Amino acid sequence: MQKDKTAKRRDLRVATACFVFVGAMVGAAYASVPLYQLFCQVTGYGGTTKRVEQASDVILDRKINVTFDANVSNGLNWDFRPVDKQISPRIGETVEIRYVATNHSSRPVTGEAIFNVTPGEAGAYFNKVQCFCFTETTLQPGETMEMPVVFFVDPAIVDAEETKGLGTITLSYTFYPREDQKPVAALSAGEEVGQPKL
């Protein structure tokens, strides 16, 4: 009788531990994406730019080339491009550039941009003060919108061993349709998200 009670308590402890472990793993899976994005924005890891609240107070006499790239994923009927393809600011200088997007579909479409910097080592030194990538963007049918990006290249880039000879940085954006904006069952045959009906 005593053995049965001991076995039941042990089984209950094992079941509780398994339940807690599975719950922790599910929670970690849901939290991993936002935590990874936050980690990348804070550290610049993997070519992800840092987000900062204020501009640099140090401006070097040396310039660096910054090129801009724009892409649109399948299913988003937008034209998306940088106004200027390249600029050469002084390192530490805060500059503003603009991208332009046009919705060619027959209905409002919401998109969200992801971004990265190449080479990846430069991501830790590319600081954004303002960027459209931190919010969803909704364009009405036929609407064109200019979207600013305010940034500076951290002067510390010239001291780091892996970046001190770097002459060009590329900032690249890709716009994706928001997956939750239209249920799959509501799509007509052959219509993609963001595409007009034929």
Side-chain angles (χ1 to χ4, degrees):
M1 186 97 166
Q2 184 65 28
K3 286 183 180 179
D4 286 345
K5 286 184 180 179
T6 303
K8 284 182 182 180
R9 277 196 300 246
R10 186 182 64 230
D11 291 346
L12 183 60
R13 281 197 303 263
V14 169
T16 302
C18 289
F19 180 76
V20 169
F21 178 76
V22 169
M25 290 298 102
V26 170
Y30 278 105
S32 63
V33 172
L35 288 175
Y36 180 74
Q37 288 175 339
L38 178 63
F39 170 76
C40 289
Q41 286 180 6
V42 169
T43 64
Y45 179 77
T48 301
T49 63
K50 287 185 180 180
R51 185 176 185 183
V52 295
E53 298 299 322
Q54 62 185 22
S56 172
D57 54 357
V58 175
I59 300 175
L60 304 182
D61 202 23
R62 177 177 158 187
K63 292 187 174 184
I64 190 163
N65 296 321
V66 183
T67 61
F68 306 101
D69 180 50
N71 304 284
V72 178
S73 75
N74 290 334
L76 191 63
N77 191 12
W78 286 12
D79 176 53
F80 176 55
R81 60 183 173 75
V83 172
D84 296 308
K85 293 191 182 265
Q86 178 177 321
I87 62 171
S88 298
R90 291 189 296 162
I91 295 174
E93 177 185 6
T94 301
V95 292
E96 178 178 313
I97 58 98
R98 293 183 178 273
Y99 279 79
V100 176
T102 302
N103 178 9
H104 293 294
S105 74
S106 60
R107 63 183 184 79
V109 177
T110 300
E112 192 166 7
I114 62 166
F115 58 90
N116 72 339
V117 168
T118 53
E121 297 81 13
Y125 304 98
F126 196 98
N127 297 288
K128 290 184 185 176
V129 180
Q130 178 185 348
C131 176
F132 57 88
C133 55
F134 300 123
T135 58
E136 296 175 4
T137 302
T138 301
L139 297 179
Q140 300 302 315
E143 181 182 4
T144 297
M145 179 185 289
E146 282 196 356
M147 296 171 285
V149 179
V150 179
F151 70 91
F152 66 91
V153 177
D154 190 328
I157 197 169
V158 302
D159 298 322
E161 192 61 39
E162 68 275 9
T163 57
K164 65 181 178 183
L166 188 64
T168 302
I169 298 174
T170 300
L171 175 63
S172 180
Y173 287 94
T174 302
F175 252 108
Y176 290 90
R178 285 290 302 171
E179 294 177 9
D180 57 351
Q181 67 179 339
K182 189 169 183 182
V184 175
L187 291 174
S188 304
E191 182 186 3
E192 289 184 87
V193 174
Q195 296 286 348
K197 295 180 182 178
L198 299 176

